[in-house]
């Protein structure tokens, strides 16, 4: 719906195209994304519960991991329910306020996860390079401050970009060629000068990506140097195992984000943007619990004990 309100944003609702250009794939995609979403919820909630009930896992590393799982639940829930809805419903609309809210929360959780991965890299740096003072250096107060800082940075960055979008006017087409309110898809519909918003988004993107990658790279450079200097192969193997899961998660997350940065915002690349967005909003929240649980002895042991306890209680 479009209203004439002078210089104000006249679009009151947007229409999300999603994957409507492939009508024969709507039902299969719904089943695939529904299954992924359910597994994502169970996997990430499972990690949070496992960390909560096992005192052995009450360490800084698992404290950060529980927040990573919480973020995965949040930003998957921002996009996936609406994606599922437009795959099966004829009504593909989303209100202007709803669209901006979806973008704000999605952007907040993605940027927060970006900084959370950097904090986790710093945690691994302290654990490998200063193991004897690890629990002292990574005190509960410091961990809480680091987590609060990631949420604050994510919120401020997202609020700034969202504000720049709200300053734009939308008076033409209201059809978003995406399954959600993604930045480039929203900007494409603007009928006012988008330079301020583009510059804001560019500065914040460069700032958040550069800060996050600098912390991660510097942490892991020191970790690698420390590992090389280790005299025993046992110590080397243990140090590598503590970092392998985190490195895998970082590579997937930043790889997809950097790929999307490199894709030009043109009609020919919209399908690639949609597929890339599916990966970081639907697939990454699914992969993180698998990466951290399958490679983690303590998590697997806790899950095994929990299952055995449940089976014993049912058999009695």
């Amino acid at each position: 719906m479009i209203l004439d309100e002078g210089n104000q944003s006249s679009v009151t609702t947007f229409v999300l195209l999603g994957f409507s250009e492939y009508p024969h794939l709507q039902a299969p995609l719904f089943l695939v994304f529904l299954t992924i979403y359910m597994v994502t919820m169970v996997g990430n909630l499972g990690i949070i519960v496992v960390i909560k009930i096992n005192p052995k896992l009450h360490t800084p590393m698992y404290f950060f991991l529980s927040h990573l799982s919480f973020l995965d639940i949040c930003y998957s829930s921002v996009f996936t329910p609406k994606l599922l809805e437009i795959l099966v419903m004829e009504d593909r609309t989303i209100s202007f306020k709803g669209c901006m809210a979806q973008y704000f929360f999605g952007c907040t959780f993605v940027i927060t996860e970006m900084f959370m991965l950097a904090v986790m890299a710093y945690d691994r740096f302290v654990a490998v390079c200063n193991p004897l003072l690890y629990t002292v250096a990574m005190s509960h107060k410091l961990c809480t401050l680091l987590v609060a800082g990631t949420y604050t940075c994510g919120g401020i960055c997202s609020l700034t970009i969202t504000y720049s979008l709200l300053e734009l006017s939308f008076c033409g087409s209201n059809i978003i060629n995406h399954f959600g309110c993604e930045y480039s898809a929203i900007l494409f519909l603007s009928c006012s000068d988008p330079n301020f918003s583009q510059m804001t988004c560019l500065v914040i993107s460069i700032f958040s990506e550069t800060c996050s990658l600098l912390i991660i790279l510097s942490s892991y450079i020191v970790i690698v140097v420390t590992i090389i200097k280790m005299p025993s192969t046992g110590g080397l193997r243990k140090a590598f195992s503590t970092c392998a899961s985190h490195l895998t998660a970082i590579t997937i997350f930043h790889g997809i984000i950097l790929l999307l940065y490199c894709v030009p915002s043109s009609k020919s690349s919209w399908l690639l943007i949609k597929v890339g967005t599916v990966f970081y909003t639907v697939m990454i929240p699914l992969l993180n619990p698998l990466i951290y649980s399958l490679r983690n002895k303590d998590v697997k042991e806790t899950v095994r004990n929990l299952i055995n306890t449940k089976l014993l209680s049912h058999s009695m």
Side-chain angles (χ1 to χ4, degrees):
M1 185 182 293
I2 300 174
L3 298 177
D4 185 12
E5 296 180 2
N7 293 327
Q8 300 300 314
S9 297
S10 52
V11 172
T12 58
T13 58
F14 290 114
V15 178
L16 300 170
L17 287 185
F19 297 97
S20 57
E21 61 265 45
Y22 307 102
H24 58 289
L25 292 178
Q26 301 295 293
L29 284 174
F30 174 81
L31 292 173
V32 169
F33 291 138
L34 178 62
T35 303
I36 290 172
Y37 184 59
M38 290 171 66
V39 174
T40 298
M41 293 297 106
V42 171
N44 284 291
L45 282 171
I47 283 184
I48 294 171
V49 170
V50 164
I51 292 170
K52 186 78 174 175
I53 64 175
N54 188 350
K56 282 176 65 179
L57 303 181
H58 294 175
T59 63
M61 182 178 83
Y62 292 106
F63 176 70
F64 296 132
L65 179 55
S66 64
H67 279 278
L68 185 71
S69 291
F70 173 72
L71 288 169
D72 284 337
I73 289 170
C74 288
Y75 81 73
S76 179
S77 298
V78 168
F79 287 98
T80 310
K82 192 64 182 180
L83 169 59
L84 294 172
E85 181 188 326
I86 65 174
L87 284 170
V88 293
M89 303 288 287
E90 287 188 15
D91 183 10
R92 299 167 182 267
T93 59
I94 183 171
S95 68
F96 180 84
K97 290 180 180 178
C99 185
M100 291 299 145
Q102 186 190 59
Y103 177 78
F104 169 73
F105 286 111
C107 186
T108 297
F109 295 131
V110 169
I111 295 175
T112 302
E113 178 149 338
M114 194 181 292
F115 285 115
M116 189 67 69
L117 288 169
V119 167
M120 292 174 76
Y122 174 73
D123 172 69
R124 291 301 81 211
F125 156 73
V126 177
V128 173
C129 302
N130 214 345
L132 297 176
L133 296 174
Y134 175 57
T135 53
V136 177
M138 297 300 292
S139 65
H140 182 70
K141 183 179 179 181
L142 177 61
C143 292
T144 304
L145 286 172
L146 288 171
V147 167
T150 63
Y151 284 100
T152 303
C153 285
I156 291 172
C157 290
S158 178
L159 186 64
T160 307
I161 300 174
T162 306
Y163 173 76
S164 75
L165 285 174
L166 289 169
E167 288 295 293
L168 299 174
S169 297
F170 298 90
C171 51
S173 172
N174 68 333
I175 298 173
I176 295 178
N177 192 359
H178 209 286
F179 60 83
C181 294
E182 190 266 341
Y183 179 79
S184 59
I186 298 172
L187 201 70
F188 187 80
L189 300 182
S190 170
C191 55
S192 56
D193 186 3
N195 284 338
F196 171 71
S197 181
Q198 287 175 319
M199 186 58 65
T200 302
C201 185
L202 179 64
V203 170
I204 289 175
S205 298
I206 291 172
F207 166 76
S208 55
E209 190 71 27
T210 303
C211 288
S212 177
L213 285 176
L214 274 176
I215 295 168
I216 290 167
L217 289 174
S218 56
S219 296
Y220 274 101
I221 287 170
V222 179
I223 287 171
V224 169
V225 172
T226 305
I227 288 174
I228 291 170
K229 290 179 180 179
M230 284 182 177
S232 66
T233 55
L236 190 150
R237 193 180 297 111
K238 184 179 179 182
F240 179 76
S241 67
T242 62
C243 301
S245 300
H246 185 238
L247 272 174
T248 305
I250 286 170
T251 303
I252 295 170
F253 182 85
H254 282 280
I256 293 170
I257 294 291
L258 289 171
L259 174 66
L260 286 172
Y261 281 162
C262 297
V263 175
S265 298
S266 61
K267 288 184 178 181
S268 60
S269 59
W270 277 345
L271 179 59
L272 183 58
I273 290 172
K274 279 191 260 190
V275 172
T277 309
V278 163
F279 267 95
Y280 81 78
T281 57
V282 179
M283 293 304 297
I284 287 178
L286 169 71
L287 292 174
N288 279 346
L290 295 176
I291 291 167
Y292 283 101
S293 60
L294 292 177
R295 296 191 60 91
N296 194 294
K297 184 178 68 177
D298 292 327
V299 171
K300 287 190 287 186
E301 184 184 325
T302 306
V303 172
R304 199 179 298 115
N305 291 338
L306 192 62
I307 292 170
N308 290 337
T309 304
K310 290 290 182 183
L311 289 174
L312 282 171
S313 64
H314 282 300
S315 62
M316 290 177 66

